[in-house]
């Protein structure tokens, strides 16, 4: 027998068997603001790394 | 904020309790604060579930510590609701069975796409969640129409004048059962 026995029927889960609905479905604006801040930092970092990589490429040429 | 347009049924789709996010969406969001603002507004600041394999995909291939740390801060945002590895592992055999069955259906239906292992495992979980689950993705082609429906589309304006389309895809039990019945008939022959 293989580790993956042949199955012809899908596994449907019962209500709340795997996940329960969240009490709070949405996040507050502060969370979005913080995420915007992180992505701005991430963009800056990406640009810095790209410049660094380009400089390294020039040196190796 | 950059502009966005969405299909009329988006609010209805957002009623589904478990909406997951695909890695391509995370990649798009990671360095794009304008997109974060637009997409979260379109989704009513809705929390998005993060599958452990999506998290894995998001964290792989990062050689720099600085990048890794900022990625962790991004993924740790309360916008993303993580599923614990322990809980996921408990249900892994069921999701794997579904994924394997689905892969046979894709082949039977001559799906020409290129579903990765992670796509198949996500799909296997979406089968289990049935009409309670959905996935926000920019790669709807990885979830073929023989089994999945595009429930809603969100188009976001890009700075270069182009538009980026994000879809919310959901499992269609009726279509799946029909495909599975075709598969079982073929195997009986």
């Amino acid at each position: 027998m293989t580790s993956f026995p042949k199955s012809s029927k899908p596994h449907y889960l019962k209500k709340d068997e795997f996940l329960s609905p969240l009490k709070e479905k949405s996040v507050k604006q502060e969370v979005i603001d913080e995420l915007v801040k992180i992505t701005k930092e991430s963009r800056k970092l990406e640009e810095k790394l790209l410049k660094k990589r380009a400089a390294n490429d020039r040196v190796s040429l | 904020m950059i502009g966005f347009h969405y299909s009329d049924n988006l609010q209805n789709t957002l009623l589904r309790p478990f909406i997951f996010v695909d890695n391509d969406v995370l990649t798009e969001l990671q360095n794009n604060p304008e997109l974060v603002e637009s997409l979260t507004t379109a989704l009513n600041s809705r929390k998005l579930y993060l599958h452990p394999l999506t998290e894995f995909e998001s964290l792989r291939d990062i050689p720099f510590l600085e990048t890794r740390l900022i990625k962790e801060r991004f993924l740790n945002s309360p916008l993303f609701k993580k599923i614990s590895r322990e809980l996921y592992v408990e249900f892994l055999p069921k999701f794997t069975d579904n994924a394997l069955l689905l892969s046979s259906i894709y082949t039977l239906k001559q799906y020409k796409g290129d579903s990765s292992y992670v796509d198949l495992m996500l799909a296997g979980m979406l089968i289990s969640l049935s009409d309670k689950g959905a996935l926000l993705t920019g790669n709807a082609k990885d979830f073929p129409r023989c089994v999945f429906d595009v429930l809603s589309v969100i188009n976001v304006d890009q700075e270069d004048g182009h538009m980026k389309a994000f879809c919310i895809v959901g499992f269609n039990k009726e279509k799946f059962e029909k495909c599975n019945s075709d598969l079982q008939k073929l195997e009986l022959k």
Side-chain angles (χ1 to χ4, degrees), chain B residues 39-59:
Chain B
L39 199 58
T40 53
T41 303
L43 296 169
N44 300 338
S45 305
R46 177 66 191 267
K47 285 184 189 176
L48 300 167
Y49 279 86
L50 191 55
H51 188 286
L53 290 178
T54 306
E55 206 179 337
F56 168 82
E57 273 196 315
S58 187
L59 289 169

Side-chain angles (χ1 to χ4, degrees), chain B residues 164-178:
Chain B
K164 173 76 189 162
F166 296 98
C167 301
I168 302 182
V169 296
F171 171 66
N172 183 319
K173 191 174 178 179
E174 211 172 294
K175 287 203 284 193
F176 175 86
E177 294 292 353
K178 168 78 177 67

